[in-house]
Amino acid sequence: MYLDNAATSFPKPDSVYEAVMNAMRDVGASPGRGGYRRSLEAARIMFQAREAVARFFSVSDSSRVIFAHNATGALNLALHGTLVAGDHVITTSMEHNSMLRPLYALQKKGVELSIIDAASDGVVSVEDIRRALKVNTRMIAVSHVSNVCGVIQPIKKMAELCREAGVLFLVDAAQSAGVLPINVENLGIDLLAAPGHKGLLGPSGTGLLYVAPQVSLKPIIQGGTGTHSSSVEQPLIMPDGFEAGTHNIPGIAGLKAGIEFILELGHLAVYQHEQTLLNLAEEALKKIPGVTIYGPEDPAARCSVLSFTASDVDSALLAAELDQGFDISVRAGLHCAPLAHRTLGTLPGGTTRLSPGWFSTSEDIALFSDAVVQCISKIRKRF
Ligand SMILES: Cc1ncc(COP(=O)(O)O)c(C=O)c1O
């Protein structure tokens, strides 16, 4: 039983597997690298995928969508492609290392960094961000939903603050894309980074960055684009200049199919399904003595994941027992977000996290809950 959809979604819809196979077996070629029909077919797949992403996030010009290899690639491009020495950036203690590590690297190059501590339930105060603004603040960079406790941050209010202060707004939608509605243009998001392989149900090795028209972005990778080949400079044309090298066409074809699957369902259906399962899990876990659930108390204030600890039980050992004894996949530890665990008070051991997906069922959750009871009691007896 797979309950780690926050890491990557599994299984994928059949249409995703078929699209990947079709792109590999029947198309095969690279887009923009030849005038022959196979190459044109690959270019057509990529254009349609970009249009699907644009429709999904309400982007009016699909050329503002850059394909990346994952959310990490998209975040690195957003950060290294905009920030320069002397700029100030505000982020939060709830971020994943894929946001924090590029920021620490930029800090070494002269970018000023402020990390706003969230409250102990993971909620970031917009007023705390406002107080951290400086004359040289260039960007506010936050995750929409925490991969540790699922807290949903008030991105609408944060976007308003960014507009008021005239700073860029970068949103890491790794845990929200495909679950919560995101209209980048209505919200006023300047940069949106998302993985293709989690809630959008695409294959591994896919991600995307939306870049609003007012953002001037520098490419961070130089290489062949299939266009402007005589120029010694990397072209700045969107999106080609930012996608140097051969594209992951099978992945992009699969991502298109994943997005179309969710567009057909409507993400409200996904959200409601996952919330029902998370609520069932929470009810069952709360009955186990010594279990603590993290994040806001109100289940409506979180989504996608549920993190918990059990007293006297190591979270990694619990995950290992669930895997070995019951073939249940959940992730334990720090989830690449050490500051979030510091905020929630779950250092050094972290938490055990479950993240159901569209294909998970209430039977899965019942089996999971029973298995957790048995594993906890086994571990407690052993130590
Ligand atoms: C909140 C958050 N941001 C970024 C990432 C990085 O995503 P990717 O693995 O696609 O690079 C993750 C992955 O778990 C995440 O949960």
Side-chain angles (χ1 to χ4, degrees):
M1 182 200 306
Y2 185 79
L3 290 175
D4 196 16
N5 289 273
T8 199
S9 52
F10 177 78
K12 313 289 183 187
D14 283 342
S15 56
V16 172
Y17 300 127
E18 281 155 22
V20 172
M21 284 298 280
N22 174 58
M24 292 191 78
R25 203 171 41 196
D26 301 335
V27 181
S30 207
R33 303 301 196 265
Y36 48 87
R37 276 169 297 163
R38 279 185 189 280
S39 174
L40 297 180
E41 176 59 13
R44 191 182 62 84
I45 290 175
M46 208 158 88
F47 175 74
Q48 288 178 347
R50 230 184 278 282
E51 288 278 300
V53 172
R55 196 159 68 246
F56 198 80
F57 294 110
S58 306
V59 174
S60 31
D61 173 4
S62 70
S63 73
R64 307 302 306 179
V65 174
I66 297 167
F67 286 118
H69 300 307
N70 42 41
T72 303
L75 285 166
N76 270 269
L77 176 56
L79 296 167
H80 288 285
T82 54
L83 298 170
V84 293
D87 286 343
H88 172 234
V89 54
I90 302 173
T91 192
T92 86
S93 67
M94 296 310 289
E95 305 311 314
H96 190 274
N97 274 340
S98 56
M99 179 80 93
L100 292 173
R101 285 180 172 162
L103 284 173
Y104 293 141
L106 282 161
Q107 199 178 21
K108 285 196 179 153
K109 292 183 177 168
V111 169
E112 231 184 301
L113 176 62
S114 297
I115 301 178
I116 305 299
D117 276 327
S120 58
D121 60 359
V123 178
V124 175
S125 148
V126 180
E127 283 316 302
D128 286 351
I129 296 183
R130 184 190 295 279
R131 274 190 288 275
L133 285 168
K134 298 183 183 192
V135 283
N136 58 335
T137 305
R138 180 88 193 288
M139 177 188 280
I140 293 172
V142 297
S143 52
H144 190 184
V145 169
S146 159
N147 65 312
V148 176
C149 67
V151 57
I152 305 169
Q153 302 297 357
I155 60 161
K156 190 166 186 293
K157 290 210 173 86
M158 290 176 183
E160 282 162 13
L161 175 61
C162 288
R163 295 284 74 79
E164 219 180 281
V167 305
L168 294 174
F169 189 35
L170 164 62
V171 175
D172 169 2
Q175 297 301 335
S176 56
V179 182
L180 297 178
I182 303 175
N183 182 322
V184 287
E185 290 178 0
N186 278 359
L187 279 166
I189 293 173
D190 296 300
L191 294 144
L192 183 92
H197 62 99
K198 300 185 199 260
L200 298 181
L201 303 179
S204 310
T206 57
L208 60 103
L209 179 68
Y210 159 72
V211 185
Q214 66 276 14
V215 180
S216 106
L217 190 72
K218 291 186 309 289
I220 60 169
I221 294 179
Q222 286 75 37
T225 57
T227 49
H228 298 79
S229 297
S230 59
S231 168
V232 293
E233 301 277 345
Q234 184 69 12
L236 295 179
I237 296 164
M238 290 284 286
D240 310 25
F242 301 86
E243 294 177 349
T246 299
H247 295 91
N248 176 8
I249 286 297
I252 291 169
L255 173 57
K256 170 179 169 282
I259 290 176
E260 282 168 353
F261 183 86
I262 301 170
L263 280 170
E264 202 161 305
L265 274 178
H267 36 43
L268 189 58
V270 178
Y271 169 80
Q272 283 171 343
H273 179 66
E274 290 188 8
Q275 285 299 99
T276 303
L277 300 186
L278 290 170
N279 291 344
L280 284 174
E282 181 171 4
E283 263 172 47
L285 290 171
K286 273 185 170 163
K287 289 190 189 132
I288 307 173
V291 163
T292 306
I293 311 270
Y294 295 90
E297 249 178 61
D298 178 5
R302 47 185 153 85
C303 67
S304 303
V305 304
L306 190 69
S307 246
F308 66 98
T309 53
S311 54
D312 306 320
V313 174
D314 178 75
S315 66
L317 192 53
L318 175 56
E321 286 288 345
L322 286 167
D323 179 38
Q324 281 154 32
F326 298 88
D327 198 13
I328 294 174
S329 310
V330 291
R331 181 162 175 204
L334 299 186
H335 311 97
C336 300
L339 301 187
H341 280 282
R342 189 190 67 194
T343 301
L344 300 171
T346 47
L347 287 178
T351 54
T352 306
R353 177 190 81 178
L354 73 136
S355 49
W358 173 251
F359 296 102
S360 310
T361 63
S362 49
E363 289 76 37
D364 289 341
I365 299 300
L367 287 171
F368 164 80
S369 308
D370 283 349
V372 170
V373 172
Q374 292 183 53
C375 292
I376 288 179
S377 125
K378 184 175 164 191
I379 294 169
R380 281 181 179 154
K381 270 191 207 135
R382 207 185 304 158
F383 294 101

